[in-house]
Amino acid sequence: MSRFIETIKLLDGHFYLLDYHQKRVEQTIAHFYKKTSTLDLTSYLAEKDVPAQGLYKCRIIYEEYILSVEFLPYSIKPINSLKIVHSDSIQYPFKFEQRELLTRLYEKKGECDEIIIVQKNQVTDASYANLVFYNGK
């Protein structure tokens, strides 16, 4: 079975959007294991020795249960150039630990810092960061 990853923002000891992350973990477990999740991220993380100051990404690897958790200092990667990469075949509805398909697309970036993935003429994702579009309002 595949292993999954959940990455949560941790700033000055506070986890962000835990409800959202909890929901995604539950949906993943329901889909792959055909059962209701017993993972409670809030309770699990409350038992961990969490950095009290600074910006970190909390990286959780899990299957039906949590396999590991680590807190990595986070700094925003400067992105000055983007390359559009087309792939109508990539499917990434769940956050798998193995990212081979994304890695292959990322290798097409050439001299650019990051890629934007386009599927069937629709912008869908980037290899690492979330995409946000602003219409001026």
Side-chain angles (χ1 to χ4, degrees):
M1 183 57 73
S2 296
R3 291 166 34 150
F4 304 95
I5 186 169
E6 196 65 30
T7 306
I8 304 168
K9 177 182 177 180
L10 173 66
L11 177 60
D12 295 334
H14 173 73
F15 291 100
Y16 281 72
L17 302 174
L18 266 180
D19 290 344
Y20 169 81
H21 294 286
Q22 181 69 44
K23 183 177 179 182
R24 183 161 50 195
V25 166
E26 290 171 0
Q27 289 171 339
T28 299
I29 290 173
H31 179 83
F32 286 94
Y33 299 100
K34 308 298 184 215
K35 66 184 214 176
T36 302
S37 171
T38 59
L39 294 180
D40 182 348
L41 295 179
T42 301
S43 297
Y44 180 84
L45 292 170
E47 297 173 0
K48 297 296 173 193
D49 186 21
V50 175
Q53 292 185 344
L55 179 59
Y56 292 83
K57 64 179 177 177
C58 170
R59 186 173 189 260
I60 298 172
I61 306 295
Y62 68 99
E63 292 172 342
E64 289 180 76
Y65 52 88
I66 294 175
L67 301 168
S68 68
V69 62
E70 60 185 338
F71 300 98
L72 305 166
Y74 183 78
S75 60
I76 296 173
K77 175 179 144 182
I79 297 174
N80 297 307
S81 57
L82 299 165
K83 180 170 185 177
I84 294 175
V85 177
H86 294 268
S87 176
D88 290 342
S89 61
I90 190 170
Q91 296 292 319
Y92 199 70
F94 298 95
K95 291 186 71 175
F96 293 101
E97 180 184 30
Q98 293 297 327
R99 298 169 44 99
E100 295 167 23
L101 297 173
L102 288 175
T103 300
R104 277 191 253 143
L105 292 177
Y106 184 74
E107 290 170 349
K108 296 179 180 183
K109 72 180 181 66
E111 298 294 318
C112 294
D113 298 320
E114 177 61 278
I115 63 170
I116 292 178
I117 301 168
V118 173
Q119 291 180 286
K120 299 178 180 151
N121 295 319
Q122 298 286 319
V123 174
T124 60
D125 210 348
S127 68
Y128 182 74
N130 293 321
L131 296 175
V132 177
F133 295 95
Y134 179 64
N135 68 1
K137 296 181 183 176

